[in-house]
Amino acid sequence: MPTPRTLFKKVWDDHVVRSDADGTDLLFVDLHLIHEVTSPQAFEALQLSGRPVHRPDLTLATIDHGVPTADRELGILDPLSKKQIDTLIANCDRTGVELFGIDDPRSGIVHVIGPEQGLTQPGTTIVCGDSHTATHGAFGSLAFGIGTSQVEHVLATQTLPQPKPKSMSITVDGDLPPGVTPKDVILGIIARIGFNGGGGHVIEYRGSVFEQMSMEGRMTVCNMSIEAGARAGLIAPDETTLAYLKGRPYAPTGTDWDEAVDYWRTLSTDPGARFDTEYAIDAADLAPYVSWGTNPSQTVPVTETVPDPSSFSSPLDRDATERALAYMDLDAGTPMTDIDIDVVFLGSCTNARIEDLRAAAAVIEGKQVAGGVRALVVPGSGLVKLQAEEEGLDRIFLAAGFEWRDAGCSMCLAMNPDVLQPGERCASTSNRNFEGRQGREGRTHLVSPVMAAAAAIEGHFVDVREWSR
Amino acid sequence: MRPIDIITGQMAPLPRANVDTDQIIPAQFLKRVERSGFGPFLFWEWVHDAEGELDPEFVINRPEYADAVVLVSGPNFGSGSSREHAPWALEDRGFRAIIAPSFADIFRGNCHNVGLLPIVLSDDEVTRLTELAENPSNEVEINLSAQSVTSGDLVASFEIDAGVKHRLLNGLDPIALTLAHADEIEAFERSRPTWKPSLSAVPSTEY
């Protein structure tokens, strides 16, 4: 009888081109996603060495990090961003790589468009010069972020030499309490296992909570695997996955679909397969979370208070907490619901899909954004924006006082004009609360879309489970 | 990439946990399309004070650390983004190795590709090395062949993947190494199912 294997091991094994004696495997890459920020130096080096792009047909480019999300008719005003975007366009023209340009409704955040187009499929290997590539693991693919040298390596060879990561299982069983969303599940996981708790591992998310979760929710969870330091995160494909994929532009059709489905159905962890590390969490113990610090593990349930640095035993943790509270301008013991906000950012590859926008719109319908609060909605792709407009969500947001913008990464990392001003405090549905992430001296609190929406209306954080207005 | 064997010189202490890539180089400096010249943006937010002036207290601003080639820092160094601009900025500023109790995975891999040596030592060894680094006249010697770090009374050994070590010692190009197996890649491609995703497929619907 063959040795029982984890889902991760099955996908890995199916992509090994060759194995080296030192334990490194050369992995074939099924899909390479590229964008304007981490690709120019790779294309340049490739050109200097006289190497062609080996598989343009397995490469898709989009422009997302530096694009403005308003007044696009004015063009790209930042000369550096414009040069970077023009460089990607020229590189794609020259090498035959397909590019979804800014005016193409299919363009948007790289981790939103792959799944939307049906390119992200179960059992594939997907890489991108972006750490949130783990998003695609929601489909049972092995997807991870790479640096620019590796982007060049994949362009040149469609493969990547990789040491074997360890495997981790995180099981969340039970029913999620009302008001507790996929974002809260992953924030709760990171708070428990730590900012580098997944280091060296690929995480498989298992249990009834993920089985019952939509594909959008699974993408939110897998997206933030990197915030626990994990190489990747994935979830076994099931009927929800197949229903999401069927009929998408690049999903297989006809007999190809049937063959693919036969293979996809083999993609689950065998009974008895061993993980290097295992965690189990009871869904009933999860709550809506708000981050208080400057890394995504510095998070508490909304009902709690800002922690006291003296409550940490290690000197480095104490120092990190003191630094975080000073940067965030927060006092230990402050209830999270007493923290006033200036800006609400509803967007990013974590939480800018149609379901996120629907959930936020349902919370704010008929209400008004609090005085002095600036609230932005930045859909994850042009298609998400169009769908939301068909459903009338734009009118709900606009009537409530939100800005309704074009797709892009936007204020998640503030490479475009959407930047926090020094000292501004933001309720953000994005993935990172690092110092200066959303703008110099900006202060980020990570929350779910419904928590962000409720905070926009009240001007401070509220417990959505009890909130009615 | 130039080969690495022995790195000798001054250490700069940065005893902070979770130094993330946004601190190493903030996103606003990632717009350049060039490969070099990122050094001036290294630790931008920490190098400058609230008024935007250079903070004379921050370690890499202190003239006595101007020659540092090894950065000694806390656990989970390089956490966050996949931006290779982070090791590029460190390299451009003159650093050739970073010593910490742990590194984020993507950052560590990027360092290997850039030719910057990430070295994991134990908490106690890093604590001792940080103390030694507090005196700018102390030097460190890193010997990649011997996998050792020596400074003052500290002699430590470190682990490194054998393939990576070979590549760094000889300054080998990873792409050339892979292309030596082009026939195996082609064989893999021939056996790949036709239904796998491809941009050359005709989309079944407009969107």
Side-chain angles (χ1 to χ4, degrees), chain A residues 18 22 30 41 51 54-55 57 78 84 105 130 147-149 153 200 249 323 415 432 435 437 440, chain B residues 16 22-23 30-31 34 45-46 49 80 82 84 105 110 163 173 178 181 184 189 192 199 204 207:
Chain A
R18 69 185 311 275
D22 68 3
D30 285 317
Q41 295 87 354
R51 290 168 179 149
H54 180 57
R55 295 294 299 266
D57 59 323
D78 179 332
Q84 198 166 49
D130 188 284
T148 296
S149 295
H153 201 119
R323 287 184 54 80
M415 270 192 81
R432 281 190 183 135
E435 289 181 29
R437 172 80 178 178
R440 186 179 168 101
Chain B
R16 297 181 186 185
D22 285 63
Q23 302 326 309
L30 309 186
K31 297 173 185 173
E34 293 80 13
E45 302 292 338
W46 292 344
D49 62 19
S82 65
E84 199 164 300
D105 291 337
N110 285 343
D173 168 16
T178 293
H181 305 288
E184 287 169 85
E189 288 175 317
R192 202 165 162 264
L199 271 301
S204 60
Y207 294 143

Side-chain angles (χ1 to χ4, degrees), chain B residues 58-186:
Chain B
F58 187 68
V59 62
I60 65 167
N61 287 340
R62 292 167 61 185
E64 60 271 33
Y65 284 107
D67 298 326
V69 293
V70 176
L71 188 69
V72 184
S73 194
N76 198 22
F77 189 92
S79 43
S81 143
S82 65
R83 62 188 70 165
E84 199 164 300
H85 311 67
W88 291 343
L90 286 157
E91 181 201 36
D92 199 57
R93 183 76 187 216
F95 289 104
R96 300 191 61 205
I98 303 157
I99 299 178
S102 58
F103 289 89
D105 291 337
I106 304 178
F107 178 83
R108 189 179 52 230
N110 285 343
C111 285
H112 290 151
N113 285 325
V114 166
L116 187 67
L117 194 58
I119 295 177
V120 174
L121 295 182
S122 71
D123 287 338
D124 289 346
E125 287 163 343
V126 172
T127 301
R128 178 64 191 138
L129 212 51
T130 304
E131 289 166 4
L132 289 164
E134 300 290 353
N135 179 348
S137 62
N138 284 332
E139 290 211 333
V140 65
E141 182 183 292
I142 298 167
N143 186 322
L144 177 56
S145 306
Q147 297 179 215
S148 67
V149 175
T150 315
S151 179
D153 58 355
L154 179 101
V155 182
S157 61
F158 63 91
E159 296 295 317
I160 184 164
D161 180 83
V164 172
K165 179 179 173 179
H166 175 71
R167 194 151 61 67
L168 292 177
L169 278 172
N170 296 288
L172 301 176
D173 168 16
I175 297 177
L177 295 177
T178 293
L179 287 175
H181 305 288
D183 52 338
E184 287 169 85
I185 296 172
E186 278 165 31

Side-chain angles (χ1 to χ4, degrees), chain A residues 138-340:
Chain A
F139 293 76
S141 66
L142 177 63
F144 52 91
I146 58 176
T148 296
S149 295
Q150 293 173 308
V151 170
E152 182 192 350
H153 201 119
V154 177
L155 288 172
T157 70
Q158 204 59 30
T159 65
L160 209 52
Q162 286 286 294
K164 288 187 195 67
K166 293 180 189 166
S167 60
M168 177 182 288
S169 142
I170 296 180
T171 304
V172 187
D173 273 325
D175 293 315
L176 286 180
V180 179
T181 69
K183 180 65 161 286
D184 302 302
V185 173
I186 188 62
L187 285 173
I189 288 171
I190 298 165
R192 279 167 176 75
I193 75 172
F195 187 30
N196 198 28
H201 287 78
V202 169
I203 301 172
E204 182 181 339
Y205 300 98
R206 316 176 77 199
S208 57
V209 161
F210 304 110
E211 287 160 15
Q212 290 159 19
M213 207 176 263
S214 68
M215 289 315 294
E216 285 86 351
R218 294 178 192 183
M219 285 189 253
T220 299
V221 170
C222 290
N223 170 276
M224 288 188 71
S225 301
I226 183 68
E227 310 311 335
R231 204 72 188 82
L234 40 70
I235 294 172
D238 59 9
E239 295 309 316
T240 305
T241 320
L242 301 189
Y244 180 97
L245 268 169
K246 195 165 176 71
R248 295 204 174 252
Y250 289 95
T253 54
T255 53
D256 278 350
W257 171 265
D258 298 335
E259 265 186 55
V261 168
D262 284 345
Y263 172 63
W264 296 343
R265 289 198 195 283
T266 69
L267 296 174
S268 59
T269 291
D270 295 328
R274 291 248 182 103
F275 291 89
D276 295 299
T277 312
E278 297 191 25
Y279 289 97
I281 294 170
D282 185 344
D285 293 339
L286 296 171
Y289 288 88
V290 183
S291 72
W292 51 265
T294 54
N295 80 53
S297 72
Q298 293 176 323
T299 294
V300 288
V302 63
T303 46
E304 292 188 11
T305 58
V306 175
D308 190 332
S310 66
S311 66
F312 294 86
S313 56
S314 114
L316 271 178
D317 284 345
R318 258 197 315 273
D319 171 65
T321 305
E322 275 167 12
R323 287 184 54 80
L325 294 192
Y327 181 84
M328 294 295 289
D329 192 28
L330 291 173
D331 295 321
T334 305
M336 296 309 289
T337 49
D338 283 1
I339 298 172
D340 292 334

